[in-house]
């Protein structure tokens, strides 16, 4: 409002000066200022909201550490001459980039495209809210600014590595501990017949084979191994939390790609339990959660595990992923892990175990609890070459 008032005052002053002073110079000043005043007035009434803006973000599926490419396209119907236009994409504060703000010299053009890049995007869910447009007249007397709604949400998945995945039971067998492998009869697939054995179900008797051989014969079904995996993620405050998420995401993808079934139990202020399942939809669901999961301060990981009855009702192999060993975890959860699971202790390359963790590893080994210390560079072979203690 002040700028408009100033423009009118300047126009009136130059006109009054020309009228009362007269002569070539005074009228020359008035007519020289008049085009600037008219253009400023047109800028004042020109609607910046006439612009239509579209934002295209690529790639569609992005992982932490990748480069994000953002393309903006501006369109308008009226070819009004703009000396300059400042375009600012209101990016999430986590990106902290200056590339999303540019000045362009639009002129009479009705369309304009621009592109900027965001390097090393971090894991998470981000929302682009709006785009800011700003312009002014040549003398800077009138400024126009407008925010155009253009909301887009992107999901940056955790960084993942290709794993050589082998079921946990193969690790148990190598370590000499009790196997957690579960065998299930697939009663839809008959592999053959055999002599009847005490305990066989009545429905398993093959009556044709019995009549033919005069001996009680039972159907032999195909035996398949149940390699279902339930991952327990420790969300306690830790400098290695991003490594935990990276490891869990890599494990989930590798297991599901090989036809396995995975579930996730996230321990925090609000428990998150994703039931065991397989397929592409399960992968999307788990990665979607892992993309935005965060640490929780001041939680008692072991206590919360003990209170969750649902966790111990699962028949799947149990994989506890944590960045630090606690005595309470070994003593209270050890029986469940010893029976059908393992603890994976995730560390950065070169990080040395504390004295307490070394002692707990020995305690776990003597108690028959499976523990593996996995460094970041060992993620690829975490399930193929690492031996459980």
């Amino acid at each position: 409002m002040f700028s408009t008032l100033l423009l009118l005052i300047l126009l009136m002053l130059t006109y009054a000066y020309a009228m009362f002073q007269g002569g070539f110079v005074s009228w020359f000043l008035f007519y020289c200022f008049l085009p600037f005043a008219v253009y400023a007035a047109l800028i004042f009434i020109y609607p910046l909201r006439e612009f239509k803006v579209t934002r295209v973000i690529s790639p569609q599926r992005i992982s932490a550490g990748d480069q994000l490419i953002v393309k903006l396209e501006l369109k308008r119907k009226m070819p009004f001459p703009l000396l300059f236009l400042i375009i600012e994409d209101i990016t999430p504060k986590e990106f902290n980039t200056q590339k999303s703000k540019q000045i362009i010299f639009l002129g009479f053009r009705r369309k304009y495209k621009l592109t900027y890049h965001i390097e090393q995007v971090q894991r998470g869910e981000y929302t682009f809210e709006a785009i800011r447009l700003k312009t002014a007249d040549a003398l800077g007397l009138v400024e126009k600014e407008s925010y155009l709604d253009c909301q887009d949400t992107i999901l940056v998945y955790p960084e993942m590595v290709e794993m050589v995945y082998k079921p946990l039971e193969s690790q148990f067998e190598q370590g000499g501990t009790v196997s957690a492998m579960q065998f299930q009869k697939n009663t839809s697939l008959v592999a053959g017949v055999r002599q009847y054995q005490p305990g066989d179900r009545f429905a398993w008797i093959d009556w044709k084979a019995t009549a033919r051989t005069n001996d009680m014969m039972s159907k032999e079904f195909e035996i398949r191994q149940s390699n279902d995996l339930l991952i327990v993620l420790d969300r306690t405050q830790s400098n290695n939390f991003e490594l935990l998420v990276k490891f869990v995401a890599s494990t989930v993808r590798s297991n599901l790609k090989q036809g396995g079934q995975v579930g996730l139990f996230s321990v925090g202020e609000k428990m998150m339990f994703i039931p065991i399942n397989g397929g592409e939809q399960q992968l999307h669901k788990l990665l979607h959660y892992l993309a935005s999961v965060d640490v929780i301060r001041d939680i008692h990981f072991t206590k919360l595990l003990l209170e969750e009855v649902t966790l111990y009702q699962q028949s799947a192999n149990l994989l506890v992923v944590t960045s630090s060993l606690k005595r309470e975890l070994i003593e209270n959860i050890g029986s469940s892990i010893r029976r059908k699971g393992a603890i994976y202790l995730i560390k950065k390359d070169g990080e040395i175990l504390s004295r307490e963790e070394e002692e707990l590893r020995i305690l776990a080994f003597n108690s028959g609890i499976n523990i593996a210390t996995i460094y970041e560079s060992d993620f690829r072979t975490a399930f193929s070459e690492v031996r459980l203690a």
Side-chain angles (χ1 to χ4, degrees):
M1 191 65 181
F2 175 75
S3 59
T4 307
L5 183 62
L6 179 61
L7 176 64
L8 292 175
I9 292 173
L10 289 176
L11 186 61
M12 292 173 60
L13 285 176
T14 54
Y15 179 73
Y17 177 69
M19 287 291 293
F20 290 104
Q21 181 66 26
F24 172 78
V25 174
S26 57
W27 283 106
F28 178 79
L29 289 175
F30 172 72
Y31 285 117
C32 284
F33 179 69
L34 186 61
F36 292 99
V38 172
Y39 182 75
L42 292 175
I43 286 290
F44 178 75
I45 63 175
Y46 178 72
L48 279 181
R49 296 197 69 84
E50 181 210 9
F51 279 93
K52 303 297 181 184
V53 182
T54 56
R55 182 195 294 112
V56 178
I57 301 174
S58 60
Q60 293 294 322
R61 186 185 182 96
I62 185 170
S63 299
D66 292 346
Q67 180 190 69
L68 193 67
I69 303 174
V70 182
K71 297 179 180 179
L72 301 178
E73 182 177 4
L74 284 79
K75 295 181 180 179
R76 59 175 179 164
K77 296 180 179 179
M78 188 186 305
F80 181 81
L82 293 176
L83 296 179
F84 70 91
L85 183 66
I86 297 175
I87 305 175
E88 182 181 5
D89 195 357
I90 309 300
T91 60
K93 61 182 180 179
E94 292 86 354
F95 287 161
N96 192 24
T97 179
Q98 299 297 323
K99 298 179 181 179
S100 62
K101 184 177 181 180
Q102 299 183 25
I103 181 170
I104 63 174
F105 301 97
L106 193 62
F108 287 92
R109 281 177 289 184
R110 296 184 181 185
K111 294 182 180 180
Y112 193 88
K113 296 181 180 180
L114 60 92
T115 303
Y116 68 92
H117 302 78
I118 301 175
E119 308 291 341
Q120 299 291 317
V121 181
Q122 299 299 311
R123 176 185 63 85
E125 187 173 7
Y126 304 101
T127 300
F128 293 75
E129 295 289 350
I131 294 175
R132 183 173 75 99
L133 301 180
K134 184 177 181 181
T135 189
D137 68 300
L139 300 179
L141 297 175
V142 176
E143 293 184 348
K144 289 293 291 291
E145 185 179 61
S146 180
Y147 287 85
L148 305 180
D149 292 333
C150 186
Q151 190 174 91
D152 288 290
T153 300
I154 64 167
L155 195 65
V156 181
Y157 290 108
E159 183 182 359
M160 289 176 278
V161 298
E162 289 291 339
M163 283 183 170
V164 181
Y165 184 80
K166 290 184 179 180
L168 276 180
E169 50 264 23
S170 63
Q171 304 292 313
F172 301 151
E173 291 166 355
Q174 291 175 9
T177 59
V178 177
S179 172
M181 184 186 300
Q182 302 167 45
F183 295 96
Q184 297 179 352
K185 289 182 181 292
N186 189 338
T187 55
S188 62
L189 297 176
V190 179
V193 293
R194 58 169 172 77
Q195 288 283 342
Y196 175 83
Q197 296 177 0
D200 286 350
R201 297 181 183 177
F202 183 76
W204 293 356
I205 298 176
D206 190 325
W207 296 107
K208 290 183 179 180
T210 300
R212 187 171 59 250
T213 60
N214 291 324
D215 288 324
M216 289 290 288
M217 304 295 290
S218 293
K219 298 175 183 177
E220 182 70 27
F221 297 103
E222 181 178 318
I223 302 293
R224 67 177 179 88
Q225 298 174 2
S226 175
N227 298 327
D228 295 352
L229 184 65
L230 179 61
I231 301 176
V232 179
L233 175 62
D234 181 5
R235 294 171 60 189
T236 308
Q237 178 73 36
S238 168
N239 294 330
N240 292 345
F241 183 71
E242 289 301 320
L243 281 183
L244 295 186
V245 176
K246 178 180 177 180
F247 178 80
V248 172
S250 301
T251 302
V252 164
R253 186 177 67 172
S254 300
N255 182 290
L256 293 176
K257 280 178 65 176
Q258 295 189 19
Q261 296 194 104
V262 186
L264 180 67
F265 194 88
S266 178
V267 182
E269 286 180 345
K270 295 182 178 179
M271 300 298 177
M272 180 64 182
F273 176 58
I274 301 178
I276 295 171
N277 210 333
E280 192 67 26
Q281 187 175 359
Q282 178 75 348
L283 176 62
H284 176 75
K285 184 187 298 184
L286 289 168
L287 292 183
H288 187 281
Y289 175 75
L290 291 172
S292 55
V293 68
D294 203 356
V295 297
I296 301 294
R297 299 177 183 273
D298 303 324
I299 65 168
H300 198 298
F301 177 58
T302 306
K303 181 180 178 182
L304 293 174
L305 279 182
L306 287 172
E307 294 173 352
E308 286 302 316
V309 180
T310 307
L311 184 65
Y312 306 102
Q313 295 175 343
Q314 307 298 315
S315 59
N317 297 320
L318 195 65
L319 178 62
V320 179
V321 181
T322 183
S323 60
S324 61
L325 281 182
K326 301 296 183 183
R327 183 172 295 274
E328 296 85 359
L329 179 65
I330 302 297
E331 294 177 347
N332 297 326
I333 314 297
S335 58
S336 298
I337 298 174
R338 181 169 54 247
R339 186 173 66 253
K340 57 174 183 177
I343 299 174
Y344 268 46
L345 181 63
I346 310 300
K347 297 291 184 181
K348 295 178 181 177
D349 289 338
E351 186 176 355
I352 301 175
L353 297 183
S354 66
R355 182 176 179 180
E356 179 185 7
E357 288 175 331
E358 290 286 5
E359 293 175 352
L360 290 175
R361 275 176 55 86
I362 297 174
L363 174 62
F365 178 79
N366 293 333
S367 303
I369 300 173
N370 305 295
I371 293 184
T373 303
I374 308 295
Y375 293 94
E376 185 175 7
S377 58
D378 299 327
F379 279 7
R380 184 177 181 277
T381 57
F383 292 93
S384 58
E385 297 181 6
V386 176
R387 292 175 63 89
L388 297 173

